[in-house]
Amino acid sequence: MFPIERPRRLRSSERMRAMVRETRLSAAQLIYPMFVCPGSNVRTPISSMPGCFQLSIDLLVEECRKIEDLGVAGVILFGIPESKDPEGTAGYAEDGIVPKALRALKEAGITMLLWADVCMCEYTSHGHCGIIHDNDVDNDATLELLTRASVVYAKAGADIIAPSDMMDGRVAAIRDGLDAEGFANTPIVSYAAKYASAYYGPFREAAESAPQFGDRRSYQMDPANAEEALREVALDLEEGADIVMVKPALPYLDIIHRVKTTFQVPVAAYNVSGEYSMICAASEKGWIDKERVMMETLLGIRRAGADIILTYFAPEAARILGRD
Ligand code: PBG
Ligand code: ZN
């Protein structure tokens, strides 16, 4: 009770504050999303995501060398295919853009964790996350294709398989497929609580994956629901997910917290494109201090309960954090 208790005593110097700090950020828990496209020497800026590019495989490898040196834990790859069709065949072709990139990164000796995002929307002509029957995404027919893609990516060298499609039962289907092909030791990170969010806007420019009709609300979650997120997480864990993800991060910090306190498993949070772009835009206008807002944002996501953060800020943050 005042004046006996004076919380300011422990805030008196940076050393004192660092000693009692509860949450820390580390580059070892940051994953950098990257967009890989056909061609060579291609570096196409993504206008709504300053500092982010679609990179051809040669430049992707170069970039990954630098990012690895910063201590970043890994990268998650999104592919921009040569061509698209209704079945998204380029997404599970052995010589598709992502398997090619994975092989190139392994051959170049990159030791960062290589995450492969598994979804159909970058590869389907209609832009939906599965194949379409009767104007809706056919859940069970899509499972087979996601499983095929997962096995192709694992064979190409993916260290982690990360399905982002939100089909029911996909974790079990992918787990079975991986186990049957000798990849029992490849972990699955499921995008377990992925919301139908307007914050994905810039990503859809980056990945050229906007749905050509309708929206994703028949498979991604309603932003109003929290209990449903816990059910989704429970199901994915029963099906064999090793890590569960909440996405986006900032409007869903309560979900991150509830998932972390309900299930004692590693939790990842995706600090998505719109969250990144807003900070970049405000700082370009001179309205905020970008570096400080970035670090405070990432810290907040960790404090809410995320162990791992997928973020377009990974290299910039890692440069500030240093290696550990
Ligand atoms: C595709 C996918 C999306 C993101 C990651 N994987 C977009 C979507 O569902 O439309 C969004 C990432 C971001 O906004 O940074 N399934
Ligand atoms: Zn998708």
Side-chain angles (χ1 to χ4, degrees), residues 49 78 117 119 121-122 129 164-165 191 194 199-204 209 211 216 220 247 270-274 312:
M49 300 174 70
F78 295 95
D117 180 272
C119 199
C121 53
E122 297 121 82
C129 301
S164 67
D165 51 284
Y191 288 64
K194 177 175 178 182
Y199 284 89
Y200 305 150
F203 174 94
R204 292 183 186 168
S209 65
R216 302 209 201 291
Q220 298 180 347
K247 175 185 174 186
Y270 200 140
N271 177 218
V272 301
S273 56
Y312 303 95

Side-chain angles (χ1 to χ4, degrees), residues 299-318:
L299 192 68
I301 296 169
R302 287 268 298 120
R303 196 189 61 248
D307 302 289
I308 303 159
I309 306 176
L310 290 78
T311 178
Y312 303 95
F313 289 121
E316 242 177 302

Side-chain angles (χ1 to χ4, degrees), residues 172-190:
I174 290 171
R175 187 69 275 159
D176 274 358
L178 290 173
D179 291 0
E181 295 289 331
F183 297 101
N185 291 321
T186 302
I188 297 176
V189 178
S190 76

